[in-house]
Amino acid sequence: MPYEPVISKYWKTPESWTLKQYQSRGDYWGYAAAKKAITEFEPKALISYVKDSNLRGRGGAGFSTGLKWTFLPENGKPRFLAVNADESEPGTFKDRQILAYDPHQLIEGIIICCWAIGAKHAYVFVRGEFVREINRLQSAIDECYAAGILGEDVLRLGKGFKLDITVLRGAGAYICGEETGLLSAAEGKRAYPKIKPPFPAVEGFFRFPTIVNNVETLSNLPHIVGKGKEWYLQQGPAAGPGPKLYCISGHVRKPGVYEAPLGTKLRTLIDEYAGGVIGTLKAIIPGGSSMPIFTPDKLDLAMDFDTVRSAGSFLGSAGVIVMNDSVCMVNALLNLAKFYHHESCGQCTPCREGLGWLEKLVHRLEFGHAHDNDLDLIKEVCGMISKRTICLLSDSLVMPVESYMKAFFKEFEYHVKEKKCMTGGQPGVWAPCEEPALAR
Amino acid sequence: MAQGIRLTINGKVCSGEQGETILQVARREGIYIPTLCHDDRLKSIGACRTCIGEIAGVKNLQSTCTYPASDGMVVDTENARVKSVRKVVCELLLSDHPAELKPGEQVQPRENDLLSVCSHSGAMESRFRTGRTSEARVDVSHPFIAFDDDKCINCFRCIRGCNEVQGEDVLTMAGRGFSAFIANDYNKNYLDSTCVSCGQCVQQCPTGALEDKTLLEKGKWDKEVKTTCAYCGTGCSMIARVKTETNEVVSIRGNDKSPVNYGHLCVKGRYAYSYGRHKERLLHPLVRESRDQPFRRASWEEAVSMVVRNLRRIKDKYGPSACAGISSSRAANEENYLFQKFVRTFFGTNNVDNCSRVCHSPTAYGLREAYGESAGTGGYEDIELAKVILVIGSNPTEAHPILGDRIRQAARRGAKMIVIDPRRTQTAREADLHLPVRPGGNVAILNAMAHVCVKEGLIDREFIARRTKGFEQLAAVLEKYAPEDVAALTGVDPELIRQAARLYGGTGGQSVIHYGLGVTEHSHGSDGVLCIANLATITGNVGKPGAAVIPMRGQNNVQGSSDMGALPQTVTEYQKHNDPVVRELYRAVWGTDLPTDPGLKLPQMFDAAVEGKLKFLWIIGEDILQSDPDSNHVEAALDAAEFVVGQDLFLNETNKKAHVIFPAASFLEKEGTFTNAERRIQRIRKAVEPPGECKSDFEIIQQVANVLGANWNYTPASIVSEIARVTKVWAGVTFDRLDSSEGMQWPVWDGQHEGSRRLHTEKSMHKDGLIKLHALEYHPPGDELSEEYPFELTTGRKLEQYNVGTQTRRTGISVYDTEDRLEIHPEDAKRLGVLEDDWVEIKSRRDAIRLRAQVTNRIREGTVFTTFHFPETALNRITSGHHDGPTMCPEYKFTAVSVMRVGGREEPAEKHQHGAVPLSGEVPVESERAFEVHVPAGAARRQ
């Protein structure tokens, strides 16, 4: 493969998560990039530099990171960085690799970000189930304090730059990955998303200006600073360039996390990286389970934020889920409906009640109890709950429901009329799948 | 100044202010937008999504309760798109609602926001009905509140009410998604939670999932009557819901519009009203010729003529000064006014006093001396405006719960809170600073704080120079009161006092003081009040927004009963009865001369009776034998009086000594006004007819007076006009004006004046307009500690009970509380070998009583505390007989006692030395038992 991985370059190296190994990599690695950022850039200049690199958020929305940083108000209030490491989207498993195999890369990104935005304290909110990852990250932070990289004088540069990093553990809820839900949870409350506006950059953590960035996003920063924005802009489409971690799962021969520049073709990812489809390809989710689904005709699509969006879906977290023709789409949808209904925080009526009803409706569809007008009812419920809530969780189910029904309408109709599966499978039972291969 | 904006809502051009939400503008303009999770008192969360609207230029529908209004905005909350979404939202909400509840029908006995919002949205039937779910949780453990999970729509209002209004944080949401549910702390039932039964959750509930049990049991109300709570002096405005068919109140809600309580009520105000229909209620006059006879039922004519006969006899035989009347802070202003007029006119003496003598008379005296007016200098609104709130000698969350909540909420929003109290009360626990002062150390600690303010330049010199007199003398005395020097007197770490003084004095005139009976009920209580006035004045904390001195009045009308002149030496508004100008004014209005004798104060009346000088005593609505100190002395006084008239709702310890008992009406059964601690005159209104032959105090007094030849034909409204003629600060008060407002804060100078939120803003109410500072020295308490009596006993109130419990003990509230306990510090308990629940004997120089111990660090070492709610305790047999000098307010808060263990957890054979106050033989009362005790269903004794 011609592409030389950047973020995942050292993941296979033994002890890659230690400070010693991190500092032995040479070039701009080992906190040289952070040092460069602090000594060569004023914070404002650094923000513009990152903005000019067109780095876009890797958490799902693909919003310009540098632009987000400029939203911080100049009101003299302390600012915070909250690192979103609550990776919970089904089909997404990239951030945990960074935490486990290269936590120093993330810490360096945090240092660069905090220097730019003027934060003295960063909180990393990690999904509670990531025990190994939390331990690796915490020991890396401890190493940094011991080495004078973090603390009263970051990297001992005498710039008066103080930075603390605190790791917070989630208690296991999908909604903690929503940025305001994450902040509520970090404040010690139930992870209820907050009304926007005000956006976190204006009023976030304990109502102080707060930037919430994803792990992978921050891990891009050392490379932008180290290799320069000119290099960065050449990695994929200029409107949203850079290395990207694609998580490929489902009916492929070699599921796993693969790094490739943004804009890599879907076909390349599936066939060349993930070893090809097992059986006959039926459907692809491009960006994590909440995104609208693609049929095989979209295989030649370039996987970057704008192209995927114009094709009717979203790159999201780049969690590519591949399904072959053994999958019943109603069954697959029921699985998602169960998940999103269970993860609804219960705050807004449309989501709390609506997702419950969507699950009920899909459930009776799958098990052959559908009423004649259920498909219309599903459509209507979707239309009524979508974008009517404080956060976007309800849309995370509405998007798949609408797109599955559109792309595979015949299957849904078959379930209503024939009361059984078109693929011949048992209702509610998943077709056997090959044991997933270990990550690359 | 907020910037004005104009926007269009549903086609109507509305004006609003920057920072308002769309809903706020719409509500003010009278545009209906349905809401379920919104309440004006709560922070909007935009969760129910029924208030959605389409905003031109904004892609998604937005919740109008959270979306800020802006200039030029065009909002539509009723177009087809919004309506269709709202309809589905309603259908979803109805999906698991009990199927028997249908929109358009008011099947609930109260308003049901959910069903009316559903009707408005056209969701008359849900396509998602599942009906009542089998696993639905129903919780009826609480004595007053029932919870039905099936009706719950997860709007969070009860939770937010519990947190943001009451501040108790009992309720929370548990689980998630469709199965999320409301949970109490410990996730058990209501009764076993830490719920304080304020009922805010019930008031918030838009669906009836949380409901008053009385409503469910007794059914629909058909009449709403706005009135004022008759428990503490906070003066919460409430709405009584009455079922006219059975002539009973079935539920009480807070009045959302009231600036006093904003719809909030405490457990007593909301739920402890059923005493009015208790089986022991007196329903007709009772009379007897002498104390060795049993009472017998009598007609009103007979009872009244018996009183008149004896009054004439005693007055003729011993002279007017052998007669006295004790008025009541529990009664209305009009009744107090009429009674003092009655005593002064027909007894011919100034021997009239009221029960505020034993609580806030030092306030009436002290604040008048300092500021020229016997009232709080500001209002409750100053709590929210203040940067620092100082609470002295008050346990507001239990004794004045609504004020307590307002103070704690203000503290949560960022105000600093200092508490000076021997007990670690709830406010003390949440305070920034808690100064556990020794009982009796108020003057020392307040002087020490003033000392620090002077020494550290925290005083407002300009204010002192321009507005006060007497500062030099004060400063000279304060020299001696460095916190270190008075450490032994205060028992408080000097550094804490310094910090408190810096906090209080450091706001630049934005600090309030709230004080209670812990300041006044001392042998130097007046000095304590004056020291508070000193401290507030020298730091410039008077008469400004967020700067005030506010006494926490113990009873509903403590302020009013004294304002109305039910005091021996003053007539209305504390005008001296021997002032020629005043006498002239009264002669013109009353047509008679005011008596000239000095008049007896309450404790003097007892002394006079014991000495044989006082023969005729008329007592309205006070159980002096239980509530006044040194009960043995009071008992001797009652026994010595030749003729005693009682006027009450129940037979109590005092009127068991009476010859005639008039059955009185409760506050729900009469018209009138109460004045609360912020001088707000508020109406009480007749919600139900008095039971049996009961009459209001007003009618009783007038009836007796007319037999004596008065020819009075007053109504409460006409009395107010008369009060207005003799009282400058009431000049503009009329029933009509009170009815059309949420009460008025006196002074109301004339018919146009709206009342006064603050006093002394430009000058004090003294003749010279200056505030008088008083140089006061510390004096030790009246009762002395000694080797034999080494503990300081102090007394107070519990949340669920009220004073001697005449009312609260006769309601379902008794579930929570059945006895008085002695709070004792663990170290003291260890030394004395006392364990939790052990029986202990407390002995003072006067008597001894027995109680069970509660070992707790809420109380400081060396001090013990108890309440006085239960007659069995007979606490006041042992309390100090000393009085405050100028006012004769008793020293309840300091009694030197010894504590001794007398028995284990099991009740000792000889429970009390006295038992209840011994009766002069059994007193059989042939009263009809018209009512049964109301025991709420499911009410179980809390362990």
Side-chain angles (χ1 to χ4, degrees):
Chain A
M1 273 173 277
Y3 177 73
E4 171 79 9
V6 181
I7 293 171
S8 60
K9 187 174 178 185
Y10 289 94
W11 285 2
K12 281 179 158 181
T13 315
E15 304 280 297
S16 63
W17 51 88
T18 60
L19 180 60
K20 194 174 157 200
Q21 201 284 329
Y22 189 64
Q23 286 181 320
S24 68
R25 294 178 192 177
D27 200 2
Y28 61 89
W29 292 88
Y31 294 101
K35 194 171 175 178
K36 181 179 171 195
I38 296 169
T39 48
E40 292 180 17
F41 290 92
E42 285 305 313
K44 284 247 169 70
L46 186 55
I47 293 180
S48 335
Y49 193 81
V50 172
K51 197 169 147 190
D52 294 345
S53 77
N54 286 357
L55 167 63
R56 288 167 70 170
R58 303 296 199 243
F63 191 79
S64 164
T65 305
L67 187 60
K68 195 185 212 176
W69 293 355
T70 62
F71 293 156
L72 286 167
E74 297 285 345
N75 56 9
K77 285 188 182 171
R79 296 158 167 192
F80 293 97
L81 170 68
V83 183
N84 189 343
D86 191 88
E87 186 176 48
S88 315
E89 178 80 359
T92 310
F93 35 85
K94 58 188 180 57
D95 294 341
R96 65 184 301 172
Q97 313 293 348
I98 298 176
L99 295 169
Y101 294 105
D102 218 341
H104 284 286
Q105 189 178 183
L106 170 65
I107 295 171
E108 186 160 5
I110 291 173
I111 294 175
I112 295 170
C113 172
C114 288
W115 171 249
I117 66 174
K120 294 189 174 62
H121 206 140
Y123 291 84
V124 189
F125 191 96
V126 193
R127 180 174 167 177
E129 292 94 326
F130 287 180
V131 178
R132 177 187 64 167
E133 288 75 7
I134 289 167
N135 291 342
R136 291 257 173 94
L137 176 63
Q138 189 59 57
S139 8
I141 291 171
D142 294 345
E143 284 180 310
C144 288
Y145 274 108
I149 294 167
L150 291 174
E152 288 303 317
D153 182 11
V154 171
L155 290 161
R156 299 210 174 97
L157 293 173
K159 296 284 257 184
F161 176 34
K162 173 181 177 299
L163 179 64
D164 289 311
I165 300 181
T166 305
V167 178
L168 301 174
R169 290 186 62 170
Y174 176 78
I175 200 64
C176 293
E178 201 277 342
E179 62 177 352
T180 53
L182 180 143
L183 293 174
S184 292
E187 291 167 2
K189 303 177 194 147
R190 283 169 71 83
Y192 285 143
K194 301 175 188 180
I195 301 233
K196 291 176 266 191
F199 286 90
V202 180
E203 256 183 38
F205 189 54
F206 286 113
R207 300 188 65 189
F208 289 113
T210 306
I211 291 294
V212 184
N213 275 155
N214 169 264
V215 169
E216 189 190 347
T217 313
L218 291 168
S219 300
N220 270 280
L221 293 174
H223 310 293
I224 295 173
V225 174
K227 287 181 182 261
K229 69 178 179 194
E230 294 73 21
W231 165 83
Y232 195 80
L233 281 164
Q234 287 160 13
Q235 310 299 310
K244 180 81 193 85
L245 299 171
Y246 292 94
C247 319
I248 306 173
S249 61
H251 294 127
V252 290
R253 294 194 190 281
K254 278 166 59 192
V257 183
Y258 299 96
E259 183 178 336
L262 277 164
T264 306
K265 287 216 164 78
L266 194 50
R267 186 187 297 280
T268 316
L269 289 172
I270 294 174
D271 288 349
E272 288 180 26
Y273 286 76
V277 181
I278 303 170
T280 312
L281 181 65
K282 182 172 181 180
I284 312 137
I285 306 174
S289 67
S290 60
M291 298 303 157
I293 202 160
F294 280 158
T295 43
D297 56 302
K298 299 279 184 359
L299 263 180
D300 285 313
L301 207 66
M303 288 287 279
D304 61 66
F305 293 111
D306 299 329
T307 317
V308 179
R309 185 173 189 159
S310 58
S313 186
F314 298 95
L315 183 64
S317 54
V320 180
I321 303 174
V322 179
M323 298 180 212
N324 69 13
D325 59 0
S326 71
V327 176
C328 163
M329 296 318 288
V330 181
N331 191 354
L333 187 60
L334 176 60
N335 189 46
L336 291 186
K338 274 183 185 164
F339 175 81
Y340 286 106
H341 168 214
H342 178 254
E343 296 297 348
S344 164
C345 78
Q347 203 179 185
C348 309
T349 309
C351 175
R352 178 183 70 238
E353 312 278 331
L355 297 197
W357 273 95
L358 277 182
E359 188 201 329
K360 267 183 212 168
L361 292 169
V362 177
H363 189 273
R364 67 189 191 204
L365 201 61
E366 166 69 4
F367 284 86
H369 311 302
H371 303 175
D372 290 344
N373 60 350
D374 270 5
L375 292 185
D376 293 332
L377 191 55
I378 291 175
K379 271 188 205 161
E380 189 181 339
V381 173
C382 284
M384 292 307 140
I385 65 180
S386 167
K387 299 185 176 58
R388 308 281 185 260
T389 45
I390 293 172
C391 78
L392 286 174
L393 187 131
S394 59
D395 293 81
S396 303
L397 182 57
V398 167
M399 286 193 290
V401 171
E402 285 181 336
S403 76
Y404 285 30
M405 281 180 51
K406 192 174 164 200
F408 302 96
F409 189 70
K410 274 192 183 144
E411 271 188 61
F412 284 83
E413 232 177 4
Y414 191 85
H415 266 268
V416 176
K417 284 189 186 142
E418 307 295 328
K419 314 283 184 203
K420 60 183 181 182
C421 238
M422 213 167 158
T423 54
Q426 288 287 317
V429 178
W430 281 82
C433 172
E434 275 181 35
E435 193 75 20
L438 279 173
R440 199 180 74 102
Chain B
M1 194 61 200
Q3 208 190 328
I5 51 172
R6 291 178 82 73
L7 61 156
T8 312
I9 304 174
N10 297 352
K12 182 177 177 185
V13 180
C14 309
S15 51
E17 277 176 14
Q18 203 79 40
E20 281 187 312
T21 63
I22 298 170
L23 183 69
Q24 278 170 331
V25 177
R27 285 265 159 104
R28 205 187 37 243
E29 297 275 343
I31 299 168
Y32 176 68
I33 300 179
T35 59
L36 289 171
C37 71
H38 174 82
D39 183 274
D40 290 339
R41 282 160 294 187
L42 308 176
K43 217 170 86 190
S44 292
I45 57 168
C48 76
R49 316 309 282 185
T50 53
C51 70
I52 42 171
E54 187 170 281
I55 302 163
V58 178
K59 195 168 68 180
N60 297 331
L61 300 183
Q62 298 291 340
S63 50
T64 53
C65 68
T66 56
Y67 208 87
S70 61
D71 202 31
M73 187 179 251
V74 179
V75 187
D76 196 339
T77 65
E78 293 295 335
N79 67 19
R81 182 183 173 208
V82 175
K83 272 181 165 166
S84 67
V85 172
R86 187 179 293 139
K87 187 174 169 208
V88 171
V89 166
C90 287
E91 285 182 300
L92 287 169
L93 285 173
L94 283 177
S95 69
D96 56 344
H97 215 62
E100 65 267 22
L101 301 180
K102 291 211 176 96
E105 297 172 20
Q106 288 291 335
V107 289
Q108 291 289 80
R110 51 179 274 180
E111 314 105 319
N112 189 313
D113 294 351
L114 173 63
L115 299 185
S116 49
V117 167
C118 287
S119 307
H120 171 85
S121 313
M124 304 302 283
E125 246 332 308
S126 174
R127 284 168 292 173
F128 307 100
R129 281 265 189 203
T130 55
R132 194 171 266 276
T133 46
S134 53
E135 72 275 13
R137 301 163 327 114
V138 175
D139 181 354
V140 290
S141 62
H142 193 278
F144 309 114
I145 301 170
F147 176 57
D148 181 351
D149 189 31
D150 251 355
K151 294 180 191 158
C152 175
I153 56 162
N154 295 21
C155 69
F156 294 74
R157 273 172 67 178
C158 54
I159 297 174
R160 289 181 291 148
C162 193
N163 298 357
E164 295 172 27
V165 180
Q166 172 63 26
E168 217 58 37
D169 307 322
V170 174
L171 297 177
T172 184
M173 193 64 84
R176 52 187 176 191
F178 203 66
S179 49
F181 63 96
I182 312 287
N184 307 99
D185 46 4
Y186 313 135
N187 198 12
K188 284 168 135 189
N189 59 35
Y190 253 92
L191 188 67
D192 293 331
S193 70
T194 57
C195 172
V196 295
S197 314
C198 69
Q200 175 66 213
C201 52
V202 177
Q203 179 143 354
Q204 286 290 349
C205 185
T207 70
L210 282 158
E211 190 63 278
D212 288 342
K213 271 187 172 174
T214 46
L215 264 185
L216 299 174
E217 286 162 9
K218 295 182 176 170
K220 269 188 182 179
W221 42 268
D222 48 24
K223 189 171 83 172
E224 283 191 332
V225 179
K226 188 167 106 178
T227 187
T228 306
C229 181
Y231 280 109
C232 76
T234 305
C236 299
S237 178
M238 52 165 59
I239 291 167
R241 301 177 149 185
V242 181
K243 192 173 176 181
T244 36
E245 185 192 336
T246 53
N247 186 35
E248 66 182 324
V249 175
V250 293
S251 164
I252 285 182
R253 301 197 95 193
N255 171 12
D256 293 331
K257 297 191 188 80
S258 167
V260 172
N261 54 320
Y262 298 101
H264 194 31
L265 292 174
C266 72
V267 58
K268 289 181 287 233
R270 196 185 295 269
Y271 293 122
Y273 58 85
S274 59
Y275 60 85
R277 296 178 66 83
H278 192 268
K279 63 173 182 178
E280 287 168 20
R281 179 85 189 263
L282 296 177
L283 297 175
H284 40 70
L286 297 173
V287 299
R288 60 180 172 188
E289 302 305 326
S290 66
R291 289 207 180 89
D292 50 15
Q293 290 177 346
F295 281 112
R296 62 182 167 81
R297 180 175 175 168
S299 69
W300 272 99
E301 289 70 29
E302 186 188 354
V304 168
S305 69
M306 196 167 154
V307 170
V308 168
R309 198 170 60 239
N310 281 287
L311 175 62
R312 284 192 174 135
R313 178 179 61 81
I314 291 171
K315 198 176 148 188
D316 291 346
K317 192 169 165 192
Y318 304 101
S321 58
C323 306
I326 300 174
S327 191
S328 179
S329 308
R330 314 282 287 136
N333 285 318
E334 297 72 21
E335 295 165 342
N336 275 290
Y337 176 82
L338 197 65
F339 190 63
Q340 61 95 6
K341 177 170 179 180
F342 172 67
V343 171
R344 291 194 156 108
T345 319
F346 289 98
F347 290 17
T349 171
N350 283 311
N351 289 347
V352 58
D353 206 350
N354 73 77
C355 48
S356 73
R357 173 68 52 207
V358 301
C359 63
H360 264 294
S361 49
T363 296
Y365 169 81
L367 294 183
R368 187 161 191 92
E369 286 297 306
Y371 300 118
E373 191 57 88
S374 299
T377 70
Y380 300 154
E381 63 186 310
D382 291 317
I383 296 172
E384 280 83 17
L385 298 170
K387 285 185 186 157
V388 169
I389 301 167
L390 173 56
V391 178
I392 313 177
S394 171
N395 179 10
T397 55
E398 298 203 54
H400 305 84
I402 302 309
L403 278 187
D405 297 338
R406 282 182 72 169
I407 291 172
R408 287 169 63 230
Q409 292 294 349
R412 285 184 179 193
R413 279 192 298 268
K416 298 283 177 200
M417 180 156 74
I418 311 168
V419 174
I420 304 181
D421 200 295
R423 291 178 79 211
R424 205 154 157 268
T425 58
Q426 186 177 15
T427 20
R429 285 200 300 279
E430 294 174 15
D432 295 86
L433 292 176
H434 173 214
L435 282 54
V437 66
R438 279 183 61 177
N442 291 331
V443 171
I445 202 166
L446 290 163
N447 271 353
M449 280 180 71
H451 171 96
V452 176
C453 289
V454 172
K455 290 288 166 191
E456 302 194 1
L458 297 167
I459 52 174
D460 186 341
R461 290 201 175 278
E462 187 273 334
F463 188 85
I464 293 171
R466 188 164 55 85
R467 301 279 311 269
T468 73
K469 61 182 179 190
F471 180 68
E472 285 68 32
Q473 295 89 316
L474 173 64
V477 165
L478 291 181
E479 275 296 321
K480 286 179 284 188
Y481 285 87
E484 292 73 15
D485 299 340
V486 292
L489 304 178
T490 61
V492 178
D493 178 5
E495 186 50 36
L496 266 183
I497 298 180
R498 288 188 182 278
Q499 285 175 16
R502 283 170 201 147
L503 214 50
Y504 177 80
T507 58
Q510 245 178 301
S511 304
V512 295
I513 296 181
H514 278 265
Y515 71 92
L517 301 181
V519 171
T520 57
E521 289 180 347
H522 281 288
S523 57
H524 303 286
S526 295
D527 292 356
V529 174
L530 288 167
C531 285
I532 287 174
N534 285 347
L535 179 64
T537 306
I538 60 173
T539 50
N541 282 309
V542 179
K544 303 174 191 171
V549 175
I550 299 176
M552 307 275 232
R553 304 297 196 158
Q555 300 189 325
N556 54 316
N557 204 24
V558 166
Q559 180 72 50
S561 58
S562 297
D563 292 347
M564 290 300 104
L567 295 172
Q569 276 137 23
T570 57
V571 286
T572 54
E573 205 227 336
Y574 312 94
Q575 306 173 86
K576 296 261 188 288
H577 67 70
N578 49 11
D579 179 337
V581 180
V582 176
R583 296 183 69 83
E584 187 51 49
L585 175 68
Y586 271 76
R587 186 182 305 122
V589 177
W590 284 10
T592 55
D593 266 323
L594 289 173
T596 48
D597 62 318
L600 296 175
K601 293 174 187 153
L602 228 163
Q604 290 170 327
M605 290 180 191
F606 302 147
D607 297 344
V610 172
E611 289 163 20
K613 292 180 193 157
L614 189 69
K615 298 292 184 184
F616 182 96
L617 193 56
W618 186 330
I619 304 152
I620 298 181
E622 191 195 357
D623 189 356
I624 51 173
L625 192 42
Q626 242 205 105
S627 55
D628 285 28
D630 199 356
S631 310
N632 295 335
H633 184 61
V634 178
E635 192 177 11
L638 284 169
D639 284 337
E642 267 188 37
F643 198 83
V644 177
V645 182
Q647 188 166 321
D648 214 304
L649 270 59
F650 297 98
L651 193 65
N652 59 27
E653 303 307 323
T654 303
N655 55 32
K656 280 173 188 167
K657 302 274 182 193
H659 295 83
V660 171
I661 309 175
F662 290 128
S666 79
F667 81 108
L668 288 166
E669 299 157 1
K670 63 185 179 187
E671 301 281 334
T673 60
F674 291 158
T675 309
N676 76 358
E678 56 165 1
R679 296 169 277 106
R680 189 178 296 277
I681 307 160
Q682 301 185 100
R683 285 274 279 122
I684 54 165
R685 293 180 181 84
K686 188 188 255 187
V688 291
E689 291 301 322
E693 297 172 16
C694 292
K695 293 186 178 184
S696 72
D697 297 317
F698 187 87
E699 290 165 324
I700 299 169
I701 299 162
Q702 180 149 293
Q703 188 172 347
V704 177
N706 282 344
V707 173
L708 283 162
N711 198 18
W712 283 347
N713 197 14
Y714 286 123
T715 62
S718 70
I719 280 284
V720 168
S721 335
E722 182 172 316
I723 298 169
R725 285 169 62 198
V726 292
T727 317
K728 285 196 209 76
V729 294
W730 271 59
V733 180
T734 65
F735 258 34
D736 287 344
R737 293 191 78 195
L738 293 173
D739 282 337
S740 60
S741 64
E742 294 297 336
M744 305 178 84
Q745 285 172 285
W746 66 256
V748 187
W749 299 116
D750 55 51
Q752 269 66 52
H753 189 232
E754 291 296 323
S756 314
R757 293 150 85 178
R758 286 178 199 89
L759 304 179
H760 327 303
T761 47
E762 298 304 323
K763 54 184 187 182
S764 85
M765 289 173 75
H766 277 304
K767 283 214 175 74
D768 58 8
L770 294 176
I771 299 170
K772 206 167 145 196
L773 295 168
H774 293 75
L776 293 165
E777 296 275 9
Y778 167 84
H779 296 287
D783 222 25
E784 272 174 73
L785 293 186
S786 66
E787 232 162 75
E788 199 183 343
Y789 301 108
F791 286 97
E792 300 148 346
L793 168 73
T794 187
T795 64
R797 212 185 264 177
K798 247 186 266 188
L799 171 66
E800 290 91 356
Q801 296 291 350
Y802 182 80
N803 288 4
V804 297
T806 309
Q807 292 155 308
T808 46
R809 282 186 288 110
R810 291 184 170 99
T811 65
I813 210 167
S814 303
V815 173
Y816 289 108
D817 198 15
T818 50
E819 61 178 339
D820 294 314
R821 308 260 296 239
L822 184 78
E823 287 190 5
I824 183 165
H825 191 270
E827 288 300 319
D828 292 329
K830 208 160 90 186
R831 255 195 312 281
L832 297 168
V834 172
L835 299 175
E836 178 87 5
D837 289 344
D838 279 355
W839 283 92
V840 292
E841 180 173 279
I842 342 170
K843 191 159 176 259
S844 77
R845 292 187 173 84
R846 282 150 293 279
D847 211 335
I849 59 163
R850 291 180 179 190
L851 293 170
R852 289 206 295 163
Q854 185 171 30
V855 181
T856 170
N857 58 6
R858 255 201 308 278
I859 191 77
R860 64 194 296 285
E861 231 179 305
T863 305
V864 289
F865 169 85
T866 189
T867 50
F868 54 98
H869 302 310
F870 294 89
E872 298 83 25
T873 313
L875 173 73
N876 283 322
R877 291 198 171 267
I878 63 168
T879 43
S880 165
H882 296 270
H883 297 292
D884 175 52
T887 65
M888 303 206 73
C889 181
E891 190 185 28
Y892 285 114
K893 302 293 183 191
F894 188 98
T895 304
V897 294
S898 67
V899 179
M900 187 175 69
R901 182 178 181 277
V902 289
R905 189 177 287 254
E906 298 306 317
E907 203 164 306
E910 191 198 3
K911 184 182 169 187
H912 297 297
Q913 212 169 355
H914 292 287
V917 178
L919 305 174
S920 332
E922 194 55 25
V923 187
V925 177
E926 306 154 8
S927 181
E928 280 168 28
R929 298 289 184 245
F931 307 116
E932 287 308 308
V933 196
H934 172 67
V935 180
R941 186 79 143 323
R942 185 159 67 169
Q943 293 303 312

